[in-house]
Structure formats: structure tokens, C-alpha cells
Amino acid sequence: MAKPPRAWQRMLSGRRLDLLDPTPVDIEIEDIAHGLAFVARWNGQTFGDFAYSVAEHSLLVETLFTRLSSKASAAERLTALLHDAPEYVIGDMISPVKSAVGPGYGALDDRLSAAVHIRFGLPAVTPARLKKQIKKADRISAWMEATQIAGFTRAEADRFFGAPDLDLIADLQIVLRPPVEVRSEFTARHAKLLEQMS
């Protein structure tokens, strides 16, 4: 009988995360921050000397979410920061690839998200209202990324992501940084939000 394929990944913390049955005890913020800081969005097709990482994107989404939802709790802001956390092990797939992979991708993402959320004291499943607000911030972030670093015209970005309120983002500029800087900021922001939750 054939040996089943390995479905776990060893993390730098020493944890062994089972992708088919992830448990909160095997999740560490340092692993998430490290992984996301080294995962490139846009399949790396961005201008600059450093890739635009999922960690950088997550920090921007949390900033935008907070601007859109000024009365959001620390837990809601943490949910926004961690909205792409599963990508620290499954990578950032562009939408066309997700469509090609099919529903299995969504199920894997949901399992990992639930484990991450439970680990940090959040509901396993993000409430629909909150998910919608975070998605709005995510789309604004995608528009900014598309126009500032991915070579899209404003018209193209408007068509794919929707035109944002330009006043909301007027003072925000994407600056590409070394992964270790982004990792550090992501970890610090996570710690600050956790502190505000307690």
C-alpha cells in the first residue's frame, strides 16, 4: 500500500502544521509574520527592488479598514490584519489560479483561518458583516497596489477593483521594504492589537 503524501509543514519555530487538520497550538505569530513577509503578491510582478509582500498588504488593509470603520474594536482590527494569514503556508494565489484550483482552495483557506483565529482569541468564522468591511478595505488596497506598483492604469484598476474614495487614501503611499522590516512591523502591530484586546 502506498504511503500517503505528507500534508504538514515544519515551521521555523519548530511547530509542525498539518494542513489537513490545523490546530491552534501549532500556530505562532512569528511563523505567520515571517512567511507573509516573504510571500510576494501579484506573483512578484511589481516595480521596485523588493517584492510587495502579503505582510505589507495586510498592514495596509488593517490601516484602510480602521479608516473605514473608525469605531472598530481591537479584535476586529486584528481580524483585518490576519485576513490573509493562511497564505503564510499556502502562498498567495492570484484569482485566476484560485478559480482553476476550485473549491478545495477555499476549504483549505477556511480551515487555516479558523485555527489562526482561535489561536489569537478571535471567532473561528469571521461574521459576514465584518468580512464584508474587510473585503472593502482589501479591494481599496488592491486598487492602490495595482496603480502604484503593478502597472495598471486608473481606468483598469477602477474596472477590476472599483474606484476608491481618493480622500481616504490621499496620504498613503506604498513603499517597498526589505522583508525583515515588514516582518518586524507586522509582529509589532499584532502584539499591539492583542494588548488592546486584553
Side-chain angles (χ1 to χ4, degrees):
M1 191 152 85
K3 185 177 175 182
R6 178 172 66 89
W8 55 267
Q9 179 175 348
R10 182 163 311 280
M11 300 294 154
L12 291 179
S13 65
R15 298 286 189 190
R16 192 168 88 167
L17 183 66
D18 185 337
L19 300 184
L20 298 178
D21 187 23
T23 59
V25 74
D26 290 321
I27 292 174
E28 300 291 347
I29 192 57
E30 293 80 9
D31 293 331
I32 293 172
H34 182 83
L36 295 183
F38 283 89
V39 172
R41 278 182 54 86
W42 302 92
N43 277 353
Q45 296 300 307
T46 52
F47 299 114
D49 294 330
F50 299 102
Y52 183 73
S53 72
V54 176
E56 192 83 77
H57 162 78
S58 298
L59 288 162
L60 179 56
V61 168
E62 193 256 327
T63 297
L64 292 166
F65 169 76
T66 301
R67 288 182 178 196
L68 291 167
S69 308
S70 59
K71 295 184 179 176
S73 68
E76 290 171 329
R77 295 193 314 269
L78 182 59
T79 304
L81 181 70
L82 295 172
H83 78 284
D84 278 339
E87 295 180 8
Y88 86 107
V89 286
I90 58 178
D92 178 47
M93 288 193 197
I94 59 173
S95 296
V97 175
K98 288 179 186 175
S99 298
V101 170
Y105 177 88
L108 175 59
D109 188 87
D110 290 345
R111 283 195 303 271
L112 288 163
S113 286
V116 168
H117 287 180
I118 292 167
R119 170 67 176 86
F120 300 116
L122 301 170
V125 177
T126 303
R129 175 195 59 80
L130 176 57
K131 194 169 189 172
K132 186 176 180 181
Q133 290 172 314
I134 294 170
K135 187 63 183 172
K136 184 174 181 181
D138 193 34
R139 290 180 67 80
I140 295 169
S141 176
W143 186 94
M144 290 177 62
E145 295 161 25
T147 58
Q148 291 185 27
I149 59 172
F152 285 58
T153 65
R154 279 194 174 188
E156 288 174 322
D158 289 353
R159 189 166 66 250
F160 291 116
F161 309 110
D165 174 357
L166 295 178
D167 290 336
L168 180 79
I169 61 173
D171 63 329
L172 296 176
Q173 184 70 32
I174 293 173
V175 177
L176 301 180
R177 302 181 285 168
V180 291
E181 284 183 27
V182 183
R183 178 182 68 196
S184 178
E185 185 177 333
F186 186 96
T187 306
R189 185 63 186 150
H190 176 269
K192 183 73 172 172
L193 291 169
L194 271 186
E195 182 185 316
Q196 291 174 6
M197 284 170 60
S198 55

